[in-house]
Amino acid sequence: MDGPSGAGKSTYAATLGLPIVPTDHFATWDDPVSWWPRLVSGVLVPLSRGESGRYRRMDWSGGSPVLGAEVLVPPTEVLVVEGVSAGRKAAARWLSQLVWVEAAESLERAVYRDGERHRADLLRWKEFERGWFAVDDTRARADLVVTS
């Protein structure tokens, strides 16, 4: 499940009643997308073999991300990977369906969620994701587009 920050991806994913791995557990302000190999080797490959996946999540509770607790992902037939860049072209072999979630006021929703103190970070992030999505063409590859 992919789409701009603040679009409502996490909220929508939570309604599905399926196991979720959020990309927020991997990304940081300074590393929005290059964490992908950690997700593949720690979660997707083990799950594809019927084994549990593991990764250390980013802890955002202090406002700045730091490596936090280990997360165990039990074997499952369906896993929702939710967040900015989850539907990247490099993920295509792992995806059974790509859902794109968008909202008109996603910046203000993200500021409401993360706090006014992160507005500058979110503006930088928004600039990055616009470029990322334009090059990756993520929305055009979506099987389903949801407006929240």
Side-chain angles (χ1 to χ4, degrees), residues 113-124:
R113 176 195 66 209
D114 296 345
E116 187 63 41
R117 69 184 176 157
H118 289 295
R119 183 177 289 274
D121 293 320
L122 288 163
L123 284 168
R124 244 180 356 157

Side-chain angles (χ1 to χ4, degrees), residues 18-20 75-80 96:
L18 297 167
I20 301 169
T76 181
E77 290 195 26
V78 178
L79 176 71
V80 175
S96 58

